[in-house]
Amino acid sequence: MVFVNPYGGKKKGLQIYEKRVKPLFELAGVHTTITITQSANHARDTLLSCSFDNIDAITCVGGDGTFAEVFNGLVLRTAKDKGIDQNDPEAILPTPSLRVGIIPAGSTDTMAYCFHGTTDVQTAVLHIIFGDSVGLDLCSVHSNATLLRYYSSVISYGYLGDVVRDSEKFRWMGPKRYDYSGFKKFFANVGYDGEVSLLSDSSDPSKGPKCKDNCERCNNKQHKGQRTKEASAGGRKQLF
């Protein structure tokens, strides 16, 4: 099952599929059913309701947003089929049985580069044909016990978040929209309020588990009290 985004990046998704992807699939004997996405969440909504009979894998030709739609739809569909509440942040999500491939045709193609080590289309197609795979960590964002979405690349707040949100208004500019929105937001000089909470018990953190074996920072923390006492006994003031 192939989803092609004709509007992402430089709007060459369909051309990339027809001229550079489809011939390799046909040469390798890979049979495909293609869906050309027409709007936001088209791929996600399709995966929530379609049949997976005779489907071995899902591939998307597009950018990071297209890939995000595909894995959101596939994870949500898997949870639905297993009777798992997607709005429960403590729920253990099942691993989808279908693999997802990504062929770069977007603005930045960050995920494609992470998977394939390059944004070369032919390399991505060959990895899919050969069945190569790598693991992918997903995170979820919940608000008031409601799932907002899953993400795998980045979640942003403040300046970067403003740039990404503003750039969506200028998709017709292609990749240059990020430079344009970044320029605007930088000179707007907007401040961002935030609050950071540290969850910890009342005990001394230095007595808790170490972050790794023989961690120099943790070892120094554990001996801090003893070293300070020795320095005070010597009649001199010294900071550690």
Side-chain angles (χ1 to χ4, degrees), residues 172-185:
W172 55 270
M173 298 177 64
K176 292 183 179 179
R177 67 183 184 271
Y178 297 117
D179 296 331
Y180 176 69
S181 293
F183 181 84
K184 285 174 54 183
K185 293 301 178 182

Side-chain angles (χ1 to χ4, degrees), residues 74-92:
L74 190 57
V75 172
L76 289 171
R77 171 66 180 275
T78 306
K80 176 183 176 182
D81 291 345
K82 298 288 185 179
I84 296 175
D85 183 8
Q86 64 190 34
N87 293 315
D88 180 5
E90 303 297 329
I92 304 300

